Amino acid sequence: MDIVKVVAVGLITVIATIIVKQVKPEIAMLITLTGSIIIIILSIQMLQGVFGSFMSIFNKTGVSNSLFVPVLKIIGIGYLCEFSANLCVDGGCNSIADKILFCGKITILIIALPIINSVIDVVLELL
Amino acid sequence: MSVEIIFKIAGIGLITAIVNQILKHLGKEEIASVTTLAGLVICLLMVLDLVQDLLNTIKNLFSF
């Protein structure tokens, strides 16, 4: 899905938002949300291929697959928190955006803990 | 999955505003506020479908 379509959707969304903002501010917010969702859905489909090749590379290294799933989760949480936080900033509520990012960081920490433990175990075995 | 949903929601917003103006001139303020709410709810329902698609895509891709 080439970049031209994403740019087109983005510009159309901005113009529609400006038009409707004078008349109905709340619906303008919905248009911004719709436009960003369309762009993200179109771009995430491109990621499918990338993750497929990551998986094959990861399998070649022989490391157990369970280490790769948390990495995927962390990337997903990062995308989601970034997406919603920016939308909250657009809507004018910066405090809510910070709360979302704060919760995202905590979730990522929780997911990353088992990996840290496994690394420490491996190091202890070496010593 | 393209721009027509953006135009749809923008259209609903504009129509709601016009209907609102007309009803205000006719002196029926209470109906005007109800039509505004109706327009907003319709737009919300349309956007909710998109949000569901997005979250399902992310859930499948990042194996949540």
Side-chain angles (χ1 to χ4, degrees):
Chain A
M1 205 295 298
D2 52 5
I3 192 71
V4 170
K5 194 170 183 190
V6 171
V7 168
V9 170
L11 289 180
I12 288 169
T13 315
V14 168
I15 291 164
T17 308
I18 290 171
I19 291 171
V20 179
K21 187 154 271 182
Q22 301 137 7
V23 190
K24 271 267 168 288
E26 60 273 13
I27 293 188
M29 174 65 188
L30 286 179
I31 292 177
T32 315
L33 178 61
T34 320
S36 45
I37 286 180
I38 288 176
I39 289 176
I40 280 214
I41 284 186
L42 291 179
S43 50
I44 270 188
Q45 278 153 2
M46 286 196 279
L47 270 178
Q48 228 97 20
V50 171
F51 281 143
S53 54
F54 267 164
M55 200 66 86
S56 58
I57 292 167
F58 209 81
N59 292 343
K60 283 197 192 101
T61 60
V63 182
S64 73
N65 221 350
S66 68
L67 286 183
F68 190 59
V69 170
V71 172
L72 273 183
K73 272 200 184 127
I74 288 173
I75 295 173
I77 289 173
Y79 268 131
L80 218 55
C81 290
E82 187 63 32
F83 167 75
S84 44
N86 286 336
L87 273 175
C88 294
V89 170
D90 268 0
C93 317
N94 292 6
S95 59
I96 295 178
D98 293 341
K99 300 299 176 296
I100 291 177
L101 289 175
F102 179 67
C103 174
K105 287 179 188 122
I106 292 177
T107 323
I108 286 175
L109 181 63
I110 289 170
I111 287 179
L113 273 184
I115 300 178
I116 296 169
N117 288 346
S118 62
V119 166
I120 289 171
D121 295 345
V122 166
V123 167
L124 285 181
E125 276 158 23
L126 292 178
L127 297 182
Chain B
M1 178 47 74
S2 182
V3 268
E4 77 269 0
I5 189 158
I6 293 177
F7 292 140
K8 248 187 256 177
I9 293 182
I12 290 176
L14 293 176
I15 289 169
T16 319
I18 292 164
V19 166
N20 213 352
Q21 298 284 351
I22 294 168
L23 283 173
K24 278 209 174 80
H25 285 308
L26 289 175
K28 300 226 175 349
E29 262 72 15
E30 61 285 355
I31 301 181
S33 59
V34 171
T35 46
T36 311
L37 272 179
L40 192 62
V41 165
I42 290 170
C43 291
L44 270 174
L45 289 177
M46 291 168 75
V47 174
L48 277 183
D49 293 344
L50 269 172
V51 171
Q52 191 185 5
D53 285 353
L54 172 74
L55 294 180
N56 283 341
T57 316
I58 288 185
K59 204 172 282 184
N60 300 339
L61 183 62
F62 296 113
S63 67
F64 261 56

